[in-house]
Amino acid sequence: MADAFHEAVPLDELKEDGRALMQAEGTPIALFYHEGEVRAVNNRCPHMGFPLTEGSVDEGVLTCHWHHARFELSCGDTFDPWADDVDTYPTEIRDGVVYVNPEPTRSEPPAVHWRGRLEDGLEQNLSLVLAKSAVALQDAGVDPAESVETGVLFGTRYREGGWGPGLTILVALANRLPDLADDDRKRALFHGLTEVANDCANEPPKFDQEEFEARDVPFSRLKSWFRENVEVRDADGAERVLRTAVAEGCDEAQLTELLVSAATDHRYLDTGHAFDFLNKATEALDLIGWNHEHADDVLASLVRGLANANRAEERSSWRQPVDLAAMCEDSFGRLDDLVAEGEGESWDAPDDLTERLHSADPEVVFDALESAIREGATVEELAGAVTHAAGKRVAQFSTGNEFNDWNTVHHTFTFANAVHRAAERTDATELYRGVFDAAVNVYLDRFLNTPPAPEPSVEPDADPEEALEQLLLCFEQQGEVNAAGAHAAHFLDGGGDPTELKAELGHALLREDAGFHTFQAYEAACRQFDHRYDDGAGAVSPEARDVLVAAARYMAAHFPTRREREQTFSIAARLLRGEKLHGEESEADPDVEATADD
């Protein structure tokens, strides 16, 4: 058997110099003579790769001089969790010469190590650790769903307020992983996990309410109890009912019905966020599994938000100058009869439906909805139609509006998308109320299309490659909103592959320090595009074109950003490839790097 030890340095020389550097099988190893012992560690500081031979040793502690990470020299354990432990190596003295075995003393599979570091990164909100974990776990062949599961369960257990924006971003990006290139899948997990950690930082954990001991409670009663407790804003009572429903074995459709019935008892909760969170929580369970434990914690994280949400009928915009809330209640009073009338009918959306939903007369909007239900429109069909109308508001948003008004049309679109997604899980009649809520907001958003931004011309002879190049250039400049929409449209007009467009939009998103709403906009637009892609002739339908135009315009309005998070990701990827970060060849800014884990 070949000797695993490599000759390093004469012992007397090491004693005199105190330290030495060697390479063994491609590994840079730092040797130290300290307190009468020879110690060997990996020369690359596990934090950001600084050579540890340029550090200092005192009382058995090795300190890196770049960010002052400290390590117990004999075993490599760090005093600073943001730094990670440094590998140590066995040494021998033979005839006055130091020999080193480059096999680490403590060795574990990369997947095991980085699973643990992912937990550390979430617990202590360490962005660089999360970036390294996202990259390393993918490189180790770990299913991305496992990292998503870790993030989802952490976020639902360690944030007293329950489901929030961070978890929504994580699930939204996880939904779009198949659209992305390999490196962007790593970026997506890094962004999502970092957002979860940020949401939970300095927050108290969530303390659970217990399920009832009662069993064989009819679903109808559980549903009634849940709605009543949410109605009176009793989050604790509502949580106990929900956990009892899970324990009773209610299936996905029933649990969704339970939630959406309470979420639509009042109008447009929290400008749509409450329902969008509800949708993302159920999508999270699609990704990590609808088993009892997962469903129990994930769905319970929604209850506080539902109970405490602001209710739109309490706002003047829903009451003056037209009492839209009262109009909704009138329609809801007829809802059962409308559904019964449409029973067995097959609905085809009229060609002018979007125009009617965009009407400046609310009576026209309500009549369009009621007529559709009477003619047999399912919740899913009608929600899809309203979602397109909401997306077109974004596609035609006038840049003459205040910048913050982008969020107004955005909220309507993502809310409508969430209702549409919920309708794929349950056909509960109550969910029509969510469709009405979305349509009312499409009506309220009408002034943000006054005048409407011009629709991109149809250019069947456009060069997709050039259109895509110009689109990406738009994201490098401020204010190129209309141009971005036109280039996205012309890419599709010219026969460009939609898969490529979604991937490039995702890449553009993930290199930015994007905000919550921009992640939502991308994911909802891609989902709605997939839903309506084929017009029956193998081409991109006009409705599908509209929603990607909307995404491109929204993204262009919010780009470029400082891209600090992309720098952190780049540092992590380079470290894991063994590249050098310090020195003259590095283009990174040390001041930014030094705060990467703050």
Side-chain angles (χ1 to χ4, degrees):
M1 180 177 178
D3 190 350
F5 284 81
H6 294 243
E7 182 177 337
V9 62
L11 178 61
D12 289 342
E13 182 179 323
L14 182 62
K15 287 181 178 179
E16 181 178 350
D17 296 338
R19 67 195 62 204
L21 177 64
M22 68 171 292
Q23 292 274 343
E25 299 179 7
T27 301
I29 297 176
L31 294 110
F32 296 92
Y33 187 81
H34 180 64
E35 297 179 341
E37 299 287 345
V38 174
R39 304 296 185 189
V41 304
N42 192 301
N43 191 47
R44 301 179 79 245
C45 176
H47 177 221
M48 291 185 65
F50 192 77
L52 291 176
T53 49
E54 297 186 30
S56 57
V57 180
D58 183 49
E59 292 188 339
V61 178
L62 169 62
T63 300
C64 174
H65 282 190
W66 197 356
H67 299 109
H68 308 286
R70 298 161 300 153
F71 308 93
E72 203 287 330
L73 184 59
S74 68
C75 67
D77 288 352
T78 184
F79 289 78
D80 306 294
W82 43 265
D84 209 349
D85 299 333
V86 67
D87 284 339
T88 60
Y89 306 96
T91 62
E92 288 184 1
I93 311 298
R94 302 176 186 174
D95 301 323
V97 176
V98 176
Y99 285 76
V100 179
N101 182 344
E103 182 66 27
T105 303
R106 174 182 49 203
S107 181
E108 60 185 356
V112 174
H113 174 78
W114 288 108
R115 284 186 183 105
R117 291 301 282 157
L118 174 56
E119 294 277 3
D120 294 339
L122 288 167
E123 290 169 4
Q124 301 188 45
N125 195 20
L126 304 173
S127 61
L128 185 56
V129 172
L130 291 169
K132 290 178 183 178
S133 301
V135 174
L137 286 170
Q138 294 304 286
D139 287 344
V142 175
D143 188 339
E146 182 179 314
S147 298
V148 174
E149 179 179 358
T150 299
V152 167
L153 296 181
F154 180 86
T156 56
R157 292 169 181 167
Y158 294 102
R159 186 172 187 267
E160 185 180 42
W163 193 279
L167 285 168
T168 299
I169 291 171
L170 174 62
V171 175
L173 291 174
N175 286 341
R176 303 320 307 180
L177 289 180
D179 294 330
L180 302 174
D182 287 345
D183 279 350
D184 286 333
R185 293 188 185 112
K186 299 170 184 176
R187 284 183 174 90
L189 290 172
F190 165 53
H191 276 276
L193 292 165
T194 299
E195 294 288 353
V196 171
N198 286 341
D199 263 5
C200 296
N202 302 316
E203 289 286 324
K206 183 182 182 306
F207 294 101
D208 296 339
Q209 297 298 320
E210 297 296 326
E211 66 201 50
F212 295 137
E213 292 187 10
R215 287 295 180 269
D216 300 322
V217 181
F219 174 73
S220 60
R221 176 159 293 182
L222 290 169
K223 180 177 171 182
S224 176
W225 285 350
F226 186 73
R227 293 171 69 176
E228 178 183 351
N229 279 274
V230 171
E231 174 66 28
V232 299
R233 301 187 183 278
D234 181 359
D236 291 339
E239 182 176 336
R240 297 200 73 180
V241 175
L242 179 58
R243 289 186 183 275
T244 303
V246 173
E248 287 272 31
C250 291
D251 61 23
E252 174 186 339
Q254 290 174 312
L255 292 172
T256 303
E257 180 178 341
L258 189 80
L259 290 162
V260 302
S261 62
T264 57
D265 276 336
H266 291 277
R267 313 280 54 78
Y268 197 49
L269 300 181
D270 280 346
T271 62
H273 286 128
F275 202 104
D276 191 62
F277 289 177
L278 183 162
N279 176 52
K280 282 295 174 285
T282 56
E283 289 179 345
L285 292 173
D286 290 341
L287 295 167
I288 71 174
W290 279 81
N291 62 56
H292 179 282
E293 181 183 1
H294 288 168
D296 206 31
D297 286 338
V298 171
L299 298 183
S301 73
L302 296 166
V303 174
R304 189 174 298 277
L306 288 174
N308 295 333
N310 293 318
R311 298 165 177 180
E313 67 268 28
E314 297 169 350
R315 299 205 307 262
S316 62
S317 59
W318 275 68
R319 294 294 187 180
Q320 298 291 338
V322 179
D323 195 339
L324 298 167
M327 292 179 68
C328 284
E329 291 305 317
D330 287 345
S331 291
F332 299 163
R334 295 187 291 273
L335 199 51
D336 288 338
D337 292 337
L338 293 170
V339 172
E341 192 172 343
E343 190 74 30
E345 299 293 329
S346 180
W347 181 69
D348 290 318
D351 293 339
D352 66 344
L353 181 58
T354 298
E355 181 180 346
R356 294 170 67 190
L357 293 172
H358 280 186
S359 174
D361 182 353
E363 295 284 357
V364 173
V365 176
F366 276 77
D367 180 68
L369 297 175
E370 290 195 17
S371 296
I373 299 171
R374 190 181 295 113
E375 293 165 11
T378 65
V379 182
E380 182 180 350
E381 290 170 333
L382 195 53
V386 173
T387 304
H388 170 251
K392 195 150 188 174
R393 286 285 195 222
V394 184
Q396 295 185 308
F397 179 86
S398 172
T399 55
N401 295 302
E402 286 190 300
F403 182 77
N404 285 339
D405 281 331
W406 276 105
N407 288 339
T408 303
V409 291
H410 161 79
H411 287 148
T412 305
F413 176 53
T414 52
F415 171 77
N417 173 70
V419 173
H420 185 214
R421 181 69 181 96
E424 294 178 342
R425 301 179 188 280
T426 177
D427 59 359
T429 299
E430 291 94 343
L431 196 50
Y432 280 108
R433 301 183 303 188
V435 178
F436 276 80
D437 285 355
V440 167
N441 276 282
V442 170
Y443 164 76
L444 289 171
D445 295 345
R446 65 195 182 283
F447 290 114
L448 301 178
N449 290 161
T450 306
E455 293 190 58
S457 60
V458 178
E459 302 285 350
D461 296 326
D463 180 347
E465 184 176 340
E466 180 181 354
L468 185 57
E469 180 180 345
Q470 292 301 313
L471 171 61
L472 298 179
L473 285 175
C474 287
F475 295 149
E476 300 288 347
Q477 308 169 62
Q478 291 185 339
E480 295 297 308
V481 173
N482 291 336
H487 292 313
H490 295 160
F491 174 88
L492 297 171
D493 295 341
D497 183 357
T499 302
E500 182 181 5
L501 179 57
K502 289 187 291 181
E504 290 294 345
L505 288 173
H507 176 71
L509 170 70
L510 292 166
R511 68 182 178 179
E512 303 288 348
D513 297 332
F516 170 49
H517 294 136
T518 314
F519 288 111
Q520 285 183 299
Y522 168 73
E523 191 259 350
C526 287
R527 183 183 177 279
Q528 288 299 316
F529 178 88
D530 293 345
H531 176 72
R532 60 191 81 245
Y533 167 32
D534 193 338
D535 68 355
V540 174
S541 69
E543 292 80 7
R545 182 181 188 261
D546 286 340
V547 292
L548 286 192
V549 168
R553 296 186 80 243
Y554 190 91
M555 291 168 66
H558 293 77
F559 294 167
T561 64
R562 291 183 62 179
R563 301 179 182 174
E564 293 179 11
R565 194 170 288 174
E566 174 62 14
Q567 184 175 12
T568 300
F569 179 84
S570 175
I571 289 168
R574 291 172 61 192
L575 282 169
L576 291 168
R577 290 195 298 266
E579 296 178 11
K580 189 176 181 182
L581 292 180
H582 61 91
E584 294 181 359
E585 81 287 353
S586 175
E587 297 180 357
D589 180 352
D591 290 335
V592 174
E593 292 166 359
T595 60
D597 283 314
D598 288 351

